[in-house]
Amino acid sequence: MTLKFLGIIPNTPTDESPTMWLHEETGDLLIQSYKATEEEVRACQEAGSIPGHSTDVPAHETIIRLPAVMLKYIPRPADSNGETASATPGA
């Protein structure tokens, strides 16, 4: 498995550091971040998903809260001009 470090929230303490990596073979993102609170999980369940799909979170999955400042580290495909798409809406 080959991982590429993408970024970390600047100025975080050494024991609290949301971080992102890219799995270079699959393109998957691996994200270390804050666990969603019980209130946030309930809100996700209330917001729902696609019709007929369970909103339960299976034991092998979790909901994380990704701080907005981390969006800049999410890789974006290049457009037809070779420009990388912005990770920030409206930018």
Side-chain angles (χ1 to χ4, degrees):
M1 175 185 313
T2 304
L3 297 180
K4 177 183 176 185
F5 170 77
L6 295 178
I8 190 169
I9 291 183
N11 304 316
T12 56
T14 58
D15 61 348
E16 186 176 319
S17 306
T19 307
M20 292 178 66
W21 300 266
L22 174 67
H23 188 292
E24 293 189 308
E25 288 89 29
T26 65
D28 292 348
L29 294 175
L30 287 88
I31 301 171
Q32 172 188 330
S33 193
Y34 305 108
K35 286 183 180 180
T37 64
E38 287 184 27
E39 180 182 358
E40 290 167 329
V41 171
R42 276 193 307 275
C44 289
Q45 291 171 323
E46 289 171 10
S49 182
I50 60 173
H53 198 276
S54 173
T55 58
D56 292 337
V57 180
H60 65 279
E61 294 182 7
T62 191
I63 295 175
I64 64 168
R65 181 172 44 86
L66 185 66
V69 68
M70 298 291 290
L71 294 176
K72 65 185 173 186
Y73 300 123
I74 296 176
R76 301 289 184 195
D79 67 16
S80 60
N81 297 324
E83 297 291 322
T84 302
S86 172
T88 307

